[in-house]
Amino acid sequence: MLRSVSQKFKVGIENYLPNAFIFAILLTFLTLILGMTITDESLFNMTTHWYSGFWDFLAFTTQMILILITGYALVKAPLVHRLLIKLASIPKSQKTAIVAVILGAAATGYLSWGLGFVFGTLFAIEVAKRVPEADFRILIAAAYTGTIAILPASISLTAPLLVNTPEHSLEEKIGLIPLSQTTFSPIMLLTAFIGLAVVLFAYIKMAPEKKDVIPYNHDEEQEEPTKKASMSNHTFAEKMNNSRIINYAIVLLGFLWLSIYIANNGFNLELNIMNFTFIMLGLALHGTPSSYMNAITDGMSSASGILLQFPFYAGIMGMMVGSGLITVIAESFASIANEITFPFFSFLSAAIVNIFVPSAGGQWQIQGPILIEALESFNLPATVVINTVSIGDVTTNLLQPFFVLPALGLAKLGLKDIWGYCLVSMILLFIVTSIIVTVLPIILY
């Protein structure tokens, strides 16, 4: 049944779904119309909000590009690449390939969502190379979905980390909320691990039949990116380019700082720290600056989608915030909720807002205070809002292509190649999470 449904989605999507960039443009016009009709903003004001937000993701865009290309370079380091090949050689059938990819992506996604997106995709590519009877598209979709499914329990989930940080924006109202009440709470753990089991089941059932399988295309495979740097060292410049002394001196300096950071802050894998760690590990494993630079250069082409499309999503967020659409959505759902239905409506409003504002941190800073204020009418703890908003945000990431762009860039696929599988997964996860966020608070509170 799921195979049939996913194939119908696939046919429809191939016929009607444009590429991810057109999706962002259409979402821009939809937000423009909603702002003008729902919040009575003028075309001039909405256009102003759009441009005001257009460049707000520059730092995040750079972080995502870095996590993509430094993760790529790290995986292509000889030692890591050999290990990845060894692991990718274990699956022998399409079914075991799907299971391995989902679990591999989930394991790395548990540590960091950025790590899961990059390593999960690269692992899926290596598995696809070695299991020709496995459909390449479903493996890439499975890697992305596996990361999404585990995110409610991930130690890198944004909102729980924000409210556990001293001097956060809502500290006066809710204080500091420990991770034991958010990331490691029953509602988040159940959502993550039941969701992961559902995703595993769904992808096994959605796997294409042998006649419909599209394997990895070896003809389009690029040259091995980690070209060996010239070791002739005939000139002073070549000696500098291939100097292991210079290479490991900077690596030692980098790891010295990381040791100090971990001693003071613990194992907190926020994006800047993770990117810095990737760079240092990549340099260490490549051995020379020249070899590492070659790998970085080869990985750059996969970042084009991020570079172009993220500013458009920042513009959409600018319109959502500037026009007050986020406030309207959050307040509308809160106003019709009661003590039993409030967790579900909090989850639903976050899921809808995430389609327009695919930035967990930005969404929480705007939507969180509104829902926390609404919570005062009910006998429920603040953790209900933190957890349900986080789960809602995660769920519709399978509909919103913002975070799948790195995977598509690495795999050289289009959105239509994987979106059918992602949509089926999202529907199933939405049903499961809706039940959990509605029933569990009644039991716990």
Side-chain angles (χ1 to χ4, degrees), residues 221-270:
E221 188 173 346
Q222 293 180 328
E223 291 180 32
E224 184 63 31
T226 50
K227 310 174 193 76
K228 288 188 177 180
S230 172
M231 300 304 292
S232 57
N233 293 340
H234 290 313
T235 67
F236 177 77
E238 288 174 338
K239 290 178 181 178
M240 296 286 284
N241 291 340
N242 298 303
S243 172
R244 293 184 179 274
I245 295 175
I246 293 175
N247 190 76
Y248 288 115
I250 195 66
V251 167
L252 285 173
L253 184 65
F255 279 111
L256 174 62
W257 185 86
L258 280 171
S259 300
I260 296 170
Y261 172 83
I262 293 172
N264 292 331
N265 301 279
F267 195 65
N268 178 22
L269 276 179
E270 53 99 359

Side-chain angles (χ1 to χ4, degrees), residues 13 55 86 128 165 177 181 194 281 334 352 399:
I13 285 166
W55 304 114
K86 187 174 182 179
T165 302
I177 308 293
Q181 296 179 31
I194 292 177
L281 280 174
I352 293 171
L399 171 65

Side-chain angles (χ1 to χ4, degrees), residues 12 89 113 147 252 333 339:
S89 301
W113 55 266
T147 303
L252 285 173
F333 282 111
E339 194 161 300

Side-chain angles (χ1 to χ4, degrees), residues 1-2 34 69 71 103 107 113 161 165 169 203 210 213 226 263 274 278 289 303 322 343 372 380 409 419:
M1 177 182 173
L2 283 180
L34 290 175
I69 61 174
L103 293 181
W113 55 266
L161 291 176
T165 302
S169 58
Y203 270 89
K210 189 173 182 180
V213 165
T226 50
M274 189 161 62
F278 276 15
I372 290 293
L380 293 168
W419 217 41

Side-chain angles (χ1 to χ4, degrees), residues 107-397:
T108 49
Y110 174 79
L111 295 175
S112 166
W113 55 266
L115 195 65
F117 291 154
V118 174
F119 278 75
T121 303
L122 291 171
F123 181 54
I125 292 171
E126 294 300 330
V127 170
K129 290 178 184 178
R130 288 156 184 82
V131 187
E133 61 266 37
D135 188 276
F136 182 47
R137 302 159 303 171
I138 199 173
L139 291 184
I140 298 300
Y144 180 64
T145 307
T147 303
I148 294 296
I150 202 65
L151 284 188
S154 172
I155 59 176
S156 66
L157 197 62
T158 304
L161 291 176
L162 285 175
V163 298
N164 193 36
T165 302
E167 301 181 6
H168 70 84
S169 58
L170 290 172
E171 186 173 3
E172 288 187 8
K173 281 194 171 184
I174 65 175
L176 291 177
I177 308 293
L179 293 181
S180 59
Q181 296 179 31
T182 54
T183 303
F184 304 128
S185 66
I187 189 171
M188 300 298 264
L189 293 174
L190 279 174
T191 299
F193 290 103
I194 292 177
L196 186 61
V198 168
V199 164
L200 276 166
F201 171 80
Y203 270 89
I204 290 171
K205 294 297 182 181
M206 287 191 293
E209 295 178 350
K210 189 173 182 180
K211 62 183 177 64
D212 298 319
V213 165
I214 296 180
Y216 180 82
N217 189 348
H218 289 270
D219 294 336
E220 295 180 1
E221 188 173 346
Q222 293 180 328
E223 291 180 32
E224 184 63 31
T226 50
K227 310 174 193 76
K228 288 188 177 180
S230 172
M231 300 304 292
S232 57
N233 293 340
H234 290 313
T235 67
F236 177 77
E238 288 174 338
K239 290 178 181 178
M240 296 286 284
N241 291 340
N242 298 303
S243 172
R244 293 184 179 274
I245 295 175
I246 293 175
N247 190 76
Y248 288 115
I250 195 66
V251 167
L252 285 173
L253 184 65
F255 279 111
L256 174 62
W257 185 86
L258 280 171
S259 300
I260 296 170
Y261 172 83
I262 293 172
N264 292 331
N265 301 279
F267 195 65
N268 178 22
L269 276 179
E270 53 99 359
L271 278 179
N272 286 334
I273 298 302
M274 189 161 62
N275 279 327
F276 187 79
T277 303
F278 276 15
I279 291 171
M280 292 302 124
L281 280 174
L283 281 166
L285 291 168
H286 277 275
T288 68
S290 182
S291 174
Y292 187 65
M293 190 63 200
N294 284 335
I296 290 291
T297 300
D298 286 325
M300 278 300 297
S301 62
S302 60
S304 58
I306 297 173
L307 186 63
L308 175 63
Q309 294 177 53
F310 275 28
F312 282 86
Y313 283 109
I316 292 168
M317 180 173 173
M319 287 193 285
M320 289 289 292
V321 175
S323 67
L325 276 170
I326 291 182
T327 302
V328 170
I329 293 170
E331 289 181 344
S332 297
F333 282 111
S335 66
I336 62 174
N338 57 39
E339 194 161 300
I340 293 176
T341 61
F342 180 82
F344 171 75
F345 282 120
S346 174
F347 156 79
L348 182 60
S349 67
I352 293 171
V353 169
N354 180 61
I355 296 171
F356 299 90
V357 186
S359 168
Q363 181 177 346
W364 170 253
Q365 296 292 8
I366 301 160
Q367 192 173 9
I370 299 168
L371 293 174
I372 290 293
E373 185 175 343
L375 194 68
E376 294 175 1
S377 303
F378 309 114
N379 186 30
L380 293 168
T383 52
V384 168
V385 169
I386 300 163
N387 293 338
T388 54
V389 167
S390 297
I391 294 170
D393 168 82
V394 164
T395 303
T396 46
N397 278 337

